[in-house]
Amino acid sequence: MSVFVHEQGLCESTHIGTGTRIWAFAHVLPGARIGSDCNICDHVFVENDVVLGDRVTVKCGVALWDGLEVGDDVFIGPNAAFTNDGFPRSKHRPPQFERTIIRDGASLGANCTILPGLTIGKRSMVGAGCVLTRDVPANAIVVGNPARIVGYVDTDRSAAPTPEAAVAAEASPRDLGVGGAALHPLVRVDDLRGSLVAGEAGAELPFTPARVFSVMLVPSKDVRGAHAHRRCEQFLVCQAGSVAVVLDDGKHSKEITLADPGVGLHIPAMVWSVQYRYTPDALLLVLASRVYEADDYVRDYDEFLGLL
């Protein structure tokens, strides 16, 4: 009695949570597992090897195929198209269907298409009509065919573009309110011969660098970073072009644009960072406080939140 199934709906599964509603012409196969307080709208088909979390909304005209795992509070828009076989042939069932994972709080717009084996990150937003060919990071907003990242949800963009000219004129760093991250003015000298930018450890630089590398020739559709460091600090300087940087400390998120080589961005340890929107001529210099250590990276956003 705690589950509503419309008289013209068909639910063969007994693994349905309290308060879930299954509407007309929907068909749920016996092996499917659906959480509490879900809304399965008209003309939805749910195959056996499908798991839905709590408070999931599946709008009309969606087929959920074997291998799909959906977290809590997910919205799946009308006619969203899932796939589970990268090379389908009639009457040739693969040994195992590829698994597609949708993390908690994600939203998928109407008519989007999701290729098999992808992970759609926590609280991400997939635009209507998107074609997903790659994983979607947590909190990312994606649009287009193929889908590309155009922003991040609930991110303060008041500092984008950054008031870098003002920062460059200041004598002290400007705190950004995200995990201790700050913009630091560097020494810049301009004359008829060109421009020179310098920084010294203990003065303009907040640490003594142990490693340096450059990032360049990044296609505008691609994203770099998308990780945090357990111990390592970084200092970013965009020496040419521009790049957008998203900072996240688990409570606050801010996006800034680096476009002035006279200003550096200090990213402390345990701050999640993403770099995207590279211009074709962008050259990003990165100074690190430690040498490369593979185990210093935190690449899973849920793990990052757990460590915090």
Side-chain angles (χ1 to χ4, degrees), residues 68-120:
L68 180 62
E69 180 181 331
V70 179
D72 298 336
D73 303 297
V74 169
F75 174 86
I76 300 175
N79 299 305
F82 292 91
T83 58
N84 62 0
D85 188 345
F87 199 77
R89 295 292 192 190
S90 180
K91 303 296 184 179
H92 289 272
R93 183 184 178 96
Q96 183 174 356
F97 288 112
E98 297 183 57
R99 300 204 68 80
T100 297
I101 299 173
I102 306 175
R103 303 291 190 194
D104 295 353
S107 291
L108 280 64
N111 295 298
C112 63
T113 299
I114 298 92
L115 268 61
L118 300 183
T119 296
I120 300 174

Side-chain angles (χ1 to χ4, degrees), residues 103-143:
R103 303 291 190 194
D104 295 353
S107 291
L108 280 64
N111 295 298
C112 63
T113 299
I114 298 92
L115 268 61
L118 300 183
T119 296
I120 300 174
K122 190 171 187 175
R123 301 186 67 250
S124 59
M125 179 74 68
V126 177
C130 275
V131 176
L132 295 185
T133 60
R134 295 188 294 179
D135 292 346
V136 178
N139 302 311
I141 304 169
V142 300
V143 300

